[in-house]
Amino acid sequence: MSKHNCSELQVLRSSGQLLLQPLWDRLRTSEALIQSPFFPVLFAIVTYLGFCLPFVVLDFLCPWVPALRRYKIHPDFSPSARQQLLPCLWQTLYQHLVFVFPMTLLYWVRGPALLPPEAPELLQFLRDVLLCLLLFDAEFFAWHVLHHRVPWLYRTFHKVHHQNASPFALATQYMSLWELFSLGFFDLMNITLLRCHPLTVLAFHVLNLWLSVEDHSGYDFPWSTHRLVPFGWYGGVAHHDLHHSQFTCNFAPYFTHWDRILGTLRPAPLPAWCCDSDGCASDSALLCVSHLNQ
């Protein structure tokens, strides 16, 4: 490679790095907090509950706001605060404080990793976030299929997550301890293998939590993630809701390619808002094209 090409490449990398540097510098002002043993658990709980809260509010409003019901996959279902919401919330807090926090404390005792002064390059940042998501999707797909196909594994470890046939946001992390640690292991393994920058790790965790909560929210909006990704590559909330009701399909948490390859992909029905009283309207039909592509 010529010196001219090398210098152009260095300029491109520097400009990509500069885009994320102000954000990274701002985060590094809280370096003591980020490096504390409390941060991973605090970050996970606050982010998770922050993403769940809007859907909890929607579930509360849904019986009194008929317009919301057309976006709800199961319009006649509302999770009970005493029998469903609070037990799910309690289990999430209990598992993170009693089991996850001691694990992060042991990791912290080994010595907290120093935060690099430089932000990641933008292309590297986007590439690593996408690779983490694709790897996690493949790993959980294999884990998920195995725990459905082997009856003992399903009864012992995965059945608890399927106790709620109609998912809701706070049921996202209603799972056995083995399942929680399996997901955490995949997460840690991927960011270690890819040698991700700490900013990339934070971004991936935020994205992964959001997509998980959205998949269990029970709401299929025109702006839901699976409608933003073309060609039916991303399953989304209706795709995962079908898994909870039928058990034998749609095992991948996010993307659809593994289910297509193994023949376990099942398209979700069109949501109610896609059709008006006289049938599917042309504008609504365009918004529903992602369902048809699946």
Side-chain angles (χ1 to χ4, degrees):
M1 184 179 292
S2 67
K3 292 182 179 180
H4 178 69
N5 290 337
C6 287
S7 61
E8 285 184 345
L9 184 59
Q10 289 175 352
V11 170
L12 181 61
R13 287 178 175 176
S14 299
S15 61
Q17 189 174 346
L18 287 174
L19 290 173
L20 296 175
Q21 193 65 47
L23 173 61
W24 181 236
D25 289 339
R26 181 67 180 271
L27 289 174
R28 288 183 66 237
T29 61
S30 303
E31 186 170 357
L33 173 63
I34 294 175
Q35 290 187 318
S36 77
F38 304 100
F39 180 75
V41 170
L42 184 64
F43 176 81
I45 291 177
V46 170
T47 305
Y48 173 67
L49 295 182
F51 286 151
C52 287
L53 183 59
F55 295 110
V56 173
V57 172
L58 290 179
D59 284 334
F60 176 77
L61 294 176
C62 203
W64 291 277
V65 184
L68 288 175
R69 294 168 59 87
R70 63 201 304 256
Y71 300 109
K72 196 168 174 62
I73 297 176
H74 304 283
D76 297 325
F77 168 74
S78 292
S80 164
R82 183 175 181 180
Q83 297 180 354
Q84 293 171 304
L85 296 178
L86 290 178
C88 288
L89 175 61
W90 165 249
Q91 178 150 324
T92 297
L93 296 176
Y94 174 78
Q95 289 181 338
H96 277 76
L97 295 176
V98 177
F99 298 105
V100 177
F101 175 66
M103 296 295 292
T104 60
L105 186 60
L106 288 174
Y107 185 81
W108 178 82
V109 168
R110 295 174 52 193
L114 297 178
L115 300 181
E118 300 86 7
E121 299 163 10
L122 181 61
L123 291 180
Q124 179 189 12
F125 172 82
L126 296 175
R127 180 202 67 191
D128 287 348
V129 169
L130 180 60
L131 285 175
C132 281
L133 201 61
L134 288 169
L135 285 172
F136 181 86
D137 188 74
E139 292 155 353
F140 184 71
F141 174 80
W143 187 100
H144 203 185
V145 170
L146 181 65
H147 282 69
H148 271 271
R149 297 290 171 83
V150 180
W152 179 80
L153 290 176
Y154 177 79
R155 291 194 306 268
T156 308
F157 299 116
H158 189 52
K159 185 178 180 180
V160 61
H161 184 64
H162 280 275
Q163 287 183 5
N164 298 290
S166 299
F168 51 94
L170 279 173
T172 304
Q173 293 190 358
Y174 191 72
M175 59 183 66
S176 68
L177 192 60
W178 166 250
E179 183 166 351
L180 180 66
F181 276 123
S182 295
L183 303 187
F185 172 75
F186 297 149
D187 187 324
L188 182 61
M189 179 176 66
N190 295 338
I191 62 177
T192 302
L193 288 175
L194 295 174
R195 302 178 67 180
C196 293
H197 188 281
L199 182 60
T200 306
V201 175
L202 290 176
F204 167 66
H205 286 165
V206 169
L207 179 61
N208 199 26
L209 282 170
W210 165 251
L211 295 178
S212 298
V213 170
E214 185 189 44
D215 273 3
H216 292 83
S217 67
Y219 289 89
D220 188 356
F221 292 111
W223 55 84
S224 294
T225 303
H226 64 285
R227 303 192 182 283
L228 306 179
V229 180
F231 311 121
W233 288 340
Y234 186 85
V237 57
H239 175 269
H240 191 69
D241 188 273
L242 201 61
H243 169 76
H244 272 263
S245 61
Q246 299 189 9
F247 300 99
T248 59
C249 62
N250 301 351
F251 293 103
Y254 305 134
F255 301 101
T256 58
H257 54 275
W258 290 113
D259 281 302
R260 288 183 193 276
I261 293 171
L262 268 71
T264 54
L265 181 66
R266 190 165 301 169
L270 294 176
W273 58 263
C274 277
C275 299
D276 58 18
S277 59
D278 299 323
C280 285
S282 58
D283 292 341
S284 297
L286 290 175
L287 290 172
C288 297
V289 71
S290 62
H291 279 270
L292 298 178
N293 284 333
Q294 293 178 17

